[in-house]
Amino acid sequence: MTEIEKKINDLRDLLRYHSDRYYNQDSPEIEDYEYDMLMRELIGLEEEYPQFDTPDSPTKKVGGKADNTFENVVHSVRMESLQDAFSKHELYDFDKRVHDAVGSVQYVVEPKIDGLSVSLEYRNGIFYRGSTRGDGDVGEDVSANLSVIHNVPLKLNKNIPYIEVRGEVYMPKRSFERVVDRQLLNDEKPFKNPRNAAAGSLRQKDSKVTSSRGLDIFVFNIQQIVGEDITSHKQSLDYLKELGFNTVPLYTRVGSMDEAVEKINAIGESRGKLEFDIDGAVIKVDSLEQRDLLGSTSKFPKWAVAFKYPPEEKQTKLLDIEIGVGRTGVLTPTALLERVQLAGTTVSRATLHNQDFIHEKGIAIGDIVTVRKAGDIIPEVKCVNMHNSDTVYRFPENCPSCGEKVFRDKDGAAIRCINPECPAQLLRNLIHFCSRDAMDIEGLGPAIIETFMQNGLISRTYDIYSLDVQSIAELEGFKEKSAENILNSVNKSKENDLSRLIYALGIRHIGAKAAKLISDHFKTMDAVMNAGVDEILEIDGCGMIMAQSIIDYFSTPAAQELIEALKSCGVNMKSKSVKAADERFKGKTFVLTGTLPTLKRSEASKIIESFGGKTSSSVSKKTSYVLAGEEAGSKLDKARELNIEIIDEDQFLTMIG
């Protein structure tokens, strides 16, 4: 293999990898601009060395693919992607090719919405199916999820026999901020940008989740229509408005490429003020007859081109670095900058990601740095242009919120405070402490906890056990009866098993199952707090990361004070588990997957544990049985691959008599 052929193949593999991360996993690792530049490099090499061209190259494929989570939909009109242009010179080359082919031409210029492309189909004016683009030929049926998006009309204003339209589902910037706040509160990995948030939200199995995410849609094309004669793109957009669709905004018909470039510049200048993300502007031939004459390549229509805006970058001075503490305890560095105009807004703060990023770039206070907007949402420091000092900035050793010692994650780059009483984390910790799988305090949901904190009723976790009826009843929206119900639930939680309390503490890497194993093994909270690493490792199912996490947590004075305070409030500190009288499943591990006909998976897990068995979330050679219901996915395939015995609910019920 020649060096050139190897370079082409390596580029193809790299693009396939990043395409999969972007389209199918909704978790990109590089910026769009970097991906576009890799694609541009591959296109240039394939043109220069046509002997190495292949039909399966990423240059000839639409990036996505249909996911087996949903039913497949075969598109009768191919959902093509667009050819990209990165300079005005390329736009004029496109204009020349069009004029050479069809003569005089008008264009429509519109913003390129950064979201997830979908098809909407209507019969006799009624919405009956919606699907994703997928690979352009086959997509996913996401009708239920599309139907809950506010601007997807379920009935059109005109009763036309059939129409299929193409649109872009996106997440408005305000919705994105709310979703990310919620994810951080729940200790979930936040979406990187609104595009990935939209894609992840549209592919939810539960349409209620999709509905809660605040998605929206712009429709920008008629794929096919019966019952109406449409001759131009501008006419089609106007007609879509009449039907009740939320059409792509800011579209304009122009008579020349000079006018198109002016419009592109105007859209680019306004992008920072828009409530939605755009990553470019699209120029389309207006006449549908001329479009037919121009045709398409294997991937792109020849009648349209997308101008991609380069990420705007500016240089400025790094004045200081501020360390914030997130709701999960992670210390986050923020650059305080000399003000600079960037993508239509004034930027004075930017993310520095983590200590590894700062060390890698050699960042010090006083440096001249380059700032850009990642995905046009979050400003970030890209690199250092001029160093002011050889002393690279280092994180503090103590939490800036509570003063406790901070720890670096054993399995990542995050540095975090694990103090359960840290003011910056208290709301999140309280919500977890009261949740169903933890202390199960009915009535103390997130909104009520926040209300109690705002009114000074709770400032530390153990304040929950000092609440009184009168203080609660005096708050707006509460009555004596509702206050009594909350206190009854609080008092009831004092009798919970030790395992619930261990889980409620929110120790990193310790879930509900691990908490049960620890509780059953050590029997008392004192024994857990005094345990060494080797003792914890004796528990089947506890590894080094979990053991060290427990040691780190209970070594903090704040955790020790919390346990003493909970003891004084009368919270149970002992395990209530007794050895199973019938241990028919002793030494057996079950993996549950899919939906069982009558049993909830949590119920089946309790039954297994009551007979001395264990449950696991993943299939391995140590798995004894896989209990499978409807829509069992990859775990079932893994079980077959490893020859693990697969049982259904009837067989399971027979096993337990």
Side-chain angles (χ1 to χ4, degrees), residues 4-5 8 12 42-55 57 60:
I4 289 296
E5 187 178 5
I8 289 173
R12 286 170 180 163
L42 178 58
I43 289 170
L45 287 171
E46 288 182 345
E47 288 176 351
E48 188 175 352
Y49 303 97
Q51 66 269 34
F52 300 131
D53 201 4
T54 60
S57 171
K60 299 176 177 61

Side-chain angles (χ1 to χ4, degrees), residues 579 582-590 608 611-614 624:
K579 194 173 183 179
D582 182 342
E583 293 191 298
R584 68 182 70 182
F585 292 152
K586 183 178 180 180
K588 304 292 184 184
T589 301
F590 289 73
I608 291 165
F611 287 112
K614 295 192 304 182
S624 310

Side-chain angles (χ1 to χ4, degrees), residues 500-513:
R500 281 185 172 273
L501 176 58
I502 293 172
Y503 176 60
L505 295 174
I507 304 170
R508 188 161 166 77
H509 303 299
I510 305 300
K513 287 184 179 179

Side-chain angles (χ1 to χ4, degrees), residues 417-489:
C417 170
I418 61 173
N419 175 12
E421 299 298 287
C422 178
Q425 305 171 65
L426 186 58
L427 176 60
R428 177 257 172 190
N429 290 341
L430 282 167
I431 291 170
H432 174 74
F433 188 88
C434 298
S435 64
R436 181 175 298 177
D437 290 336
M439 296 303 278
D440 192 21
I441 303 179
E442 191 174 345
L444 279 186
I448 291 178
I449 291 172
E450 197 162 4
T451 298
F452 285 3
M453 289 181 66
Q454 289 169 350
N455 286 275
L457 273 64
I458 298 175
S459 59
R460 291 164 298 191
T461 302
Y462 52 81
D463 287 341
I464 290 169
Y465 295 100
S466 301
L467 292 168
D468 62 90
V469 171
Q470 184 178 350
S471 299
I472 298 172
E474 288 175 356
L475 298 178
E476 185 178 349
F478 291 87
K479 295 182 179 179
E480 190 170 319
K481 182 62 178 174
S482 59
E484 288 175 353
N485 289 339
I486 289 173
L487 286 192
N488 288 337
S489 187

Side-chain angles (χ1 to χ4, degrees), residues 188-200:
E188 300 169 355
K189 183 180 179 181
F191 288 120
K192 185 175 181 181
N193 55 50
R195 190 268 166 200
N196 297 109

Side-chain angles (χ1 to χ4, degrees), residues 59-60 78 80-81 83 294-303:
T59 60
K60 299 176 177 61
R78 192 164 195 267
E80 298 171 308
S81 57
Q83 184 173 3
L294 288 161
S296 299
T297 67
S298 61
K299 185 176 180 180
F300 307 118
K302 294 180 180 179
W303 43 263

